[in-house]
Amino acid sequence: MKNKTILIKGLHEILSATFAGAEQHLAHATINEYNGFPKLAQRMRSEFENEISDSKILMNRILNLGGIPNTEHKSLPIHLDVTKQLEQEFAEQVIALNRLQELIILSENDCATRMVFEDFLKDETLHTNWLRQQVSLINNVGVANYLTTQM
């Protein structure tokens, strides 16, 4: 019973981060669209949609374990500057990857919850790698050159 409570708490933690990330992605997508960077805006809008889809999976798992989904979350920083947007998201992703790895270990006796966390880890790893690449591109070619590829 204690492990179930720990898993529900972990699922709520990821659910909270997912809602916060969705909110941040939507804001950054809107900012980038407004500033004339539709490619970057579309990528962030896609991330927003993924986060919303992920939240449904998390809520269903919480319900399956007998919990009640809680959608409270802290807001994440919103930046007008693209470099800051990407660096902030990258830093958040690194934290999320570490936490997901911890939660996978904690869910060793619950295959269904472990699979949810493992699937999220795969998706978040891909997003983290993309963010790392974007930050690297900005550092290597400069933000102005990077942004010309996002028009």
Side-chain angles (χ1 to χ4, degrees):
M1 185 60 98
K2 182 181 178 185
N3 191 42
K4 187 168 141 179
T5 303
I6 291 169
L7 292 178
I8 291 172
K9 183 179 177 187
L11 287 161
H12 274 121
E13 183 182 337
I14 300 303
L15 179 62
S16 174
T18 299
F19 272 109
E23 187 176 84
Q24 184 185 55
H25 285 111
L26 180 60
H28 286 161
T30 303
I31 290 165
N32 291 322
E33 184 74 38
Y34 177 83
N35 286 328
F37 307 115
K39 288 182 183 177
L40 186 57
Q42 180 53 45
R43 175 62 190 239
M44 291 185 171
R45 199 170 3 273
S46 175
E47 292 297 331
F48 162 76
E49 292 165 1
N50 291 342
E51 299 281 17
I52 296 301
S53 178
D54 288 347
S55 68
K56 293 176 188 176
I57 294 167
L58 291 163
M59 285 190 266
N60 280 325
R61 190 68 203 133
I62 290 167
L63 289 167
N64 287 338
L65 290 172
I68 300 170
N70 180 346
T71 59
E72 291 180 34
H73 63 277
K74 297 180 198 174
S75 291
L76 296 172
I78 305 299
H79 299 286
L80 296 175
D81 179 86
V82 169
T83 303
K84 288 181 182 176
Q85 289 174 14
L86 296 169
E87 289 173 343
Q88 175 74 39
E89 287 189 32
F90 177 72
E92 292 160 4
Q93 286 296 116
V94 171
I95 293 167
L97 291 178
N98 289 331
R99 185 60 180 141
L100 283 166
Q101 290 170 339
E102 293 169 358
L103 290 169
I104 288 168
I105 293 168
L106 289 173
S107 62
E108 67 184 350
N109 294 323
D110 180 342
C111 293
T113 302
R114 186 178 68 240
M115 285 176 48
V116 168
F117 290 140
E118 287 173 345
D119 287 346
F120 277 43
L121 181 63
K122 289 175 191 170
D123 290 344
E124 296 303 319
T125 299
L126 291 173
H127 185 53
T128 303
N129 290 340
W130 181 83
L131 287 165
R132 180 183 292 116
Q133 181 184 46
Q134 303 317 296
V135 171
S136 178
L137 282 169
I138 289 170
N139 290 333
N140 289 326
V141 302
V143 70
N145 289 329
Y146 172 80
L147 290 175
T148 61
T149 68
Q150 299 304 315
M151 295 175 161

